Amino acid sequence: MSIEQVEERMSEMLDDLESLNATVKFVCKNDGVIFLDATETPAVLSHEDDMADCTIKITTQNLEKLLAGKLDPMLAYTMGKLKVKGSMGIAMKLTGLLH
């Protein structure tokens, strides 16, 4: 799956992600950045490389698995498949919103 397809999948989830009320930057190795601004109503996705409340480094393939429910976020974190920088509380809240 390409980063554009991942972004499209995330776009379908924006209504749920609005309750996050924070900014999250997904840094997909070799594919770029997806920036979620859930402080806006409606929430907005972009490719900005701005400062975020929480930054998640993950491969595009693992992000796709995460969004599809095929990869447990806590297991991925424990195994080093994703790294979190910034607010761990926002990352935990995001875990409950992704499905």
Side-chain angles (χ1 to χ4, degrees):
M1 181 175 273
S2 70
I3 195 163
E4 291 81 16
Q5 291 170 311
V6 170
E7 186 175 1
E8 184 177 313
R9 173 72 176 110
M10 288 180 79
S11 293
E12 297 168 1
M13 303 169 68
L14 285 180
D15 289 342
D16 294 334
L17 295 174
E18 278 183 16
S19 64
L20 189 61
N21 197 29
T23 56
V24 179
K25 179 169 51 174
F26 296 89
V27 179
C28 300
K29 299 173 187 174
N30 302 323
D31 288 328
V33 170
I34 298 174
F35 188 84
L36 168 66
D37 187 349
T39 62
E40 300 288 324
T41 303
V44 177
L45 289 177
S46 70
H47 294 280
E48 299 297 320
D49 196 1
D50 292 336
M51 295 292 293
D53 299 314
C54 179
T55 299
I56 297 175
K57 292 184 180 182
I58 189 169
T59 64
T60 304
Q61 182 181 24
N62 283 334
L63 182 54
E64 185 271 326
K65 289 178 185 177
L66 192 69
L67 294 173
K70 296 179 181 177
L71 178 64
D72 179 83
M74 295 305 292
L75 181 61
Y77 179 78
T78 304
M79 294 177 65
K81 292 186 177 195
L82 71 82
K83 298 183 190 296
V84 176
K85 184 176 179 182
S87 174
M88 187 61 79
I90 291 171
M92 295 299 292
K93 190 173 178 182
L94 182 63
T95 297
L97 298 174
L98 295 177
H99 44 78

